[in-house]
Amino acid sequence: MKLGFRDGVLYDEKRSDWDAAGPRPINWSLWYPAADDARESEIPERSWFQKAAVARNAPIRPEAVPYPLVLLSHGTGGSAAGLEWLARRLVERGSAALGVSHHGNTGIEPYRADGFACLWERAPDLSYMLDHCDAWLSDFSGHIDTNSVFAAGFSAGAYSVTLLLGAVAQFSQFEPSRMKPGGARGPREFPDLADHIPALLRTSDVFRDSWSRMSESYRDDRIKAALICAPGRSVLGFSEESLKAVDVPALVLVGDADRAAPAEECSSWLHARLRRSALKIFGGGLGHYVFVPEGTALGLAFAAELFTDPPGIERAAVHEEIADLSAALFRDSDVIA
């Protein structure tokens, strides 16, 4: 099957960008089954990630029924491209996949402390794409089923997806008042994040407005099931009552050697509080970054720790298993009672 790809940017007029200079940008990427006669070409730009050839802006392959849609939310400081490995495999299994790059918390623009701190702003990015599907569907209308929608997220993206299911945040992970002496003050990509929050609360109207909306509900009833990959400690800030009220099937996946988001502390905790969830812990010493793409020579040169797995582990084979589990969940979410 040929892999189609298109991308673009939308602007949420109801939310400001972090500089208060205009509406919030939502950069998006869509992967889909392309017409059989589409011409694929290699991705030209240099990247840390291995990516498949795509048929950019090719016509969609017509089918008797529309393709279900999977929304994708990347990890902290990543981008939609970081879930290309899952997107193309979902396309092979009969879906379309739509990822966004979350403003201020993405590698396609400079990192922002406000974007890293206010993770709840990510979920409305995904809902906005559904609310304004005509803007990106274009000539694909009728071929992608926006009434059959699922979601998948990795790390901070797992937090985003859980918000869509109905989780409500009680506090932010890196609130200075919640910091333990000697504990981490930010994620790997922004290690002093907590130290920026007091100044932002004093000086940024945009940040204060977002901070005041921390505990709002971002539930989106259009999501039929969710794949939650390696959720981090940020999920510990969710209200347990809100988690117990979630009635959407979810599959939680994590590696047994995840040091960034330890399975027992994060994934098992979340699974125990979701009424309709299943948990799979991958053995073999798999870490947090098994959920990012395979690395190129450039990626290995600059960040080998992101792309190196234990001896005997083939990341591509793990990705195939994850895609199979995902497709089964999205095909028959009733398998999770």
Side-chain angles (χ1 to χ4, degrees), residues 197-216:
I197 292 175
L200 286 168
L201 286 169
R202 291 194 306 270
T203 62
S204 171
D205 290 340
V206 177
F207 184 81
R208 280 195 300 269
D209 178 62
S210 177
W211 199 259
S212 72
R213 292 185 280 104
M214 178 194 305
S215 296
E216 292 185 6

Side-chain angles (χ1 to χ4, degrees), residues 31-79:
W31 293 266
Y32 57 91
D36 291 339
D37 60 354
R39 299 184 64 179
E40 294 177 318
S41 57
E42 298 294 331
I43 304 294
E45 70 269 18
R46 299 183 74 200
S47 173
W48 286 13
F49 303 149
Q50 293 185 28
K51 302 178 186 177
V54 296
R56 179 176 283 273
N57 298 320
I60 196 167
R61 181 181 182 182
E63 288 289 351
V65 295
Y67 299 105
L69 177 66
V70 183
L71 302 177
L72 304 176
S73 183
H74 62 76
T76 298
S79 68

Side-chain angles (χ1 to χ4, degrees), residues 71-185:
L71 302 177
L72 304 176
S73 183
H74 62 76
T76 298
S79 68
L83 287 172
E84 181 270 352
W85 64 268
L86 178 59
R88 59 181 157 90
R89 287 175 168 87
L90 291 173
V91 169
E92 292 171 355
R93 290 158 176 79
S95 297
L98 177 68
V100 302
S101 296
H102 300 288
H103 172 51
N105 190 221
T106 173
I108 69 169
E109 56 184 42
Y111 286 170
R112 301 285 305 247
D114 28 27
F116 274 69
C118 299
L119 292 183
W120 47 89
E121 293 291 354
R122 294 162 133 260
D125 291 343
L126 298 166
S127 291
Y128 186 91
M129 296 303 298
L130 292 181
D131 293 340
H132 298 82
C133 56
D134 289 347
W136 54 269
L137 271 178
S138 183
D139 52 316
F140 290 176
S141 182
H143 295 289
I144 295 177
D145 189 354
T146 54
N147 293 311
S148 183
V149 183
F150 306 92
F154 159 60
S155 196
Y159 181 96
S160 311
V161 165
T162 310
L163 284 172
L164 292 177
L165 301 187
V168 174
Q170 290 182 308
F171 58 87
S172 178
Q173 179 184 358
F174 295 110
E175 285 184 45
S177 63
R178 293 186 172 273
M179 293 291 95
K180 297 178 180 179
R185 303 190 65 78

Side-chain angles (χ1 to χ4, degrees), residues 11 204 243:
Y11 294 90
S204 171
L243 292 173

